Amino acid sequence: MTQISDTPLIIEVSLNGTVKPEQNPNVPYEDDDIVAQAVACMEAGAALVHNHTRDPVFGGTGVMDAEAYARPWRKLLKLRPDAILTPTMPGTEGVPVEERFAHIEAMAQEGLIAQGLCDPGSFSVSIPGEDGAYLPTQLVYRNDAHDSHYYVEACRRLKLGMSISIFEPGFVKFIMSLHRAGKLPPGGIMKFYFGADSMSFGLPPTAKALDAYLEMIEGSDLPWSVSAFGDDCVGCGLAEEAIKRGGHVQVGIEPYGGPRSPTNVELVEEVVALAGHLGRPIATPEQAAAMLNLPTYPVPFAA
């Protein structure tokens, strides 16, 4: 049996999300800041980079500006052509999936990305009120089964790997149904997004919750990672549980919910230190691309 220590740990850094500068002054949104922090995080040990632009995930037109992603990424790829980059996608209701996915298609045509997105399900979005009860919002991050099939087939058509967002257990069931039927395109990773009590989605960031997800994918060879939204992935122990079980870890200002205002580099360095203590090597971007069966930059576009 392959020992856990033989499997390089893939670290993804999620640079910003919807975090505002008043929440953490270290969050990057300007092009040069995104480039500088991405490079620094890669030098520290991150192999995958995820960031948002200022386009809203909810509301607005439901269409994201591909150029707002491409501008800093072109600069970044000149410095680090081995960077594995992943955008986000709007969850605005009433906007056709083709329009919500159009920025990914455009960046695939330019050869900037090796991973597309697959969000195989929906969930309600809220925040706790002063008494701790979730507020009566009407926000839904909506991806019906038609949309989810579209993401899978678009990634297959574009020859992209898939960044598969798992916010709830039902999302896993959808992916595993395709896996068992032999209908998943090659490449990609299941990203288990755990949610603290302040988050209206997800299982709690605990070992038992992780084991529940791992039971659902038992018998498959699908790579997986963990992220603790609204918590500290290293501090709460989730990162250690994933590293011990052979999984991978996402950290960054976007999911972080602890008492500090850390930099993205500090969060990456904490995972690297933990992995070193546990005897797990860190994957280079080249190793990560091979492990996830991803094309490398410049990615050849396939219409």
Side-chain angles (χ1 to χ4, degrees), residues 182-246:
K183 292 184 176 180
L184 278 183
I189 183 169
M190 299 260 278
K191 298 179 179 179
F192 298 138
Y193 292 149
F194 296 82
D197 288 344
S198 59
M199 300 286 113
S200 60
F201 64 84
L203 297 179
T206 64
K208 288 183 178 179
L210 174 57
D211 285 340
Y213 273 140
L214 296 184
E215 181 179 349
M216 296 180 75
I217 66 170
E218 190 173 0
S220 76
D221 57 354
L222 296 172
W224 55 272
S225 69
V226 302
S227 185
F229 274 75
D231 210 324
D232 179 340
C233 195
V234 172
C236 74
L238 182 62
E240 180 172 348
E241 297 298 337
I243 292 170
K244 288 179 176 178
R245 288 162 171 76

